[in-house]
Structures are given as structure tokens and as C-alpha cells.
């Protein structure tokens, strides 16, 4: 059968590809909604998506060139620790998921650094010192 071109694990491979494609589409939807591909690992709205994104980062070297190309085409971030700003932005997204708004108290006991960071972003916006890309990201999650 192998000589005739029979694929022994075709259904399993096809099923895994379908699952990967479905998760990729959910990531595209996340990006359309939030303006980035930085899904928190513990994303409460879609925990499976958060775990899947983390798995892509961990298995970057094992991904096919096609999958890497598709992820790169939508601005996938391979390292979530690119900048401290990005880290705090992810904390703000998680805060919003939990509380339904972005009004982090200045002295937020659960994450004091986040309260200070949010206050600093508001100051930079008032003084027109926040780079436009960062302002766009904050606007995309309803920061105003």
C-alpha cells in the first residue's frame, strides 16, 4: 500500500492541520479585536487560544516554514518579553478582561507596577508624548 501512495496517518495529520488552522483563525480574530497577537497565556475569554499561542512560541523551531510564514504575516510576536511596555500592556489587557474596563487604580494593590504604568501612559497622552503606535494599541482596548 505504501508503494501505491497510501498515507497511513492521513486522517490524524489532516485532523491536526485542521485544528491548527482553526486556532490560527481564532488568533486572527483576536488580532482584529485587540490589534495584536499577544494573547495572554491565561486568556480567560478563550483559554485554549492562550495555551495554543504559547505552544507556538515554545515550538517555534519545530514549526513548518508555512506555519511560521502564516504567523509572521499577521504580526505574531515570538517573544512576549520584547519590551517592558509590551509586558505592561498585556497586564492591562488581563486587567480589562477581569474588570471590564481599563481604569486601573493608581495604587492597585494586586499589581502596583500596573497602576503606576497606567498613570504614566495617561500623563504621556495628555502631554502628547506617547508614540502613535502605542496610542493606537491602547485605543484598541478602550483605554481612553
Amino acid at each position: 500500500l505504501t508503494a501505491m501512495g497510501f498515507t497511513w496517518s492521513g486522517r490524524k495529520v489532516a485532523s491536526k492541520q485542521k485544528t491548527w488552522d482553526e486556532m490560527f483563525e481564532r488568533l486572527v480574530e483576536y488580532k482584529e479585536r485587540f490589534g495584536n497577537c499577544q494573547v495572554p497565556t491565561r486568556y480567560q475569554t478563550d483559554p485554549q487560544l492562550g495555551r495554543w499561542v504559547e505552544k507556538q512560541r515554545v515550538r517555534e523551531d519545530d514549526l513548518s516554514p508555512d506555519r511560521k510564514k502564516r504567523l509572521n504575516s499577521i504580526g505574531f510576536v515570538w517573544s512576549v518579553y520584547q519590551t517592558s511596555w509590551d509586558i505592561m500592556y498585556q497586564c492591562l489587557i488581563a486587567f480589562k478582561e477581569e474588570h471590564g474596563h481599563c481604569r486601573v487604580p493608581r495604587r492597585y494593590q494586586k499589581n502596583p507596577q500596573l497602576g503606576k504604568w497606567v498613570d504614566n501612559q495617561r500623563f504621556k497622552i495628555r502631554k502628547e508624548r506617547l508614540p502613535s503606535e502605542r496610542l493606537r494599541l491602547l485605543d484598541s482596548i478602550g483605554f481612553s
Side-chain angles (χ1 to χ4, degrees):
L1 289 173
T2 302
M4 294 171 41
F6 181 80
T7 304
W8 291 97
S9 61
R11 281 185 284 160
K12 188 174 183 179
V13 170
S15 175
K16 283 185 178 183
Q17 179 64 40
K18 182 181 177 192
T19 300
W20 194 94
D21 290 340
E22 289 169 356
M23 295 306 297
F24 179 79
E25 287 306 315
R26 284 160 61 180
L27 178 59
V28 169
E29 290 170 8
Y30 179 94
K31 181 178 182 179
E32 289 171 358
R33 182 172 178 203
F34 294 107
N36 65 66
C37 296
Q38 298 175 332
V39 182
T41 303
R42 293 188 176 116
Y43 182 43
Q44 291 180 355
T45 305
D46 187 347
Q48 187 180 15
L49 179 61
R51 288 189 303 272
W52 182 84
V53 166
E54 178 63 22
K55 190 181 290 186
Q56 303 315 297
R57 290 185 181 116
V58 170
R59 296 183 178 165
E60 177 184 2
D61 294 336
D62 299 328
L63 290 175
S64 70
D66 178 59
R67 287 183 176 180
K68 283 184 184 179
K69 183 178 178 181
R70 289 176 67 191
L71 289 168
N72 286 332
S73 75
I74 61 167
F76 189 79
V77 176
W78 295 100
S79 172
V80 289
Y81 301 107
Q82 288 181 341
T83 69
S84 60
W85 195 93
D86 292 332
I87 294 167
M88 295 311 297
Y89 178 70
Q90 289 305 310
C91 290
L92 179 60
I93 289 172
F95 178 92
K96 182 178 181 182
E97 285 178 12
E98 184 177 339
H99 300 281
H101 60 79
C102 295
R103 296 180 308 275
V104 182
R106 187 174 291 153
R107 295 173 196 229
Y108 183 47
Q109 290 188 358
K110 192 172 179 183
N111 184 345
Q113 188 179 4
L114 179 61
K116 292 174 188 174
W117 181 84
V118 164
D119 192 49
N120 191 35
Q121 302 315 297
R122 294 194 190 285
F123 175 80
K124 287 180 177 182
I125 290 169
R126 280 193 308 274
K127 298 293 183 180
E128 298 180 2
R129 293 185 193 159
L130 192 69
S132 60
E133 177 60 20
R134 289 182 175 177
L135 181 58
R136 188 189 65 73
L137 287 170
L138 290 170
D139 284 346
S140 75
I141 62 168
F143 184 72
S144 57

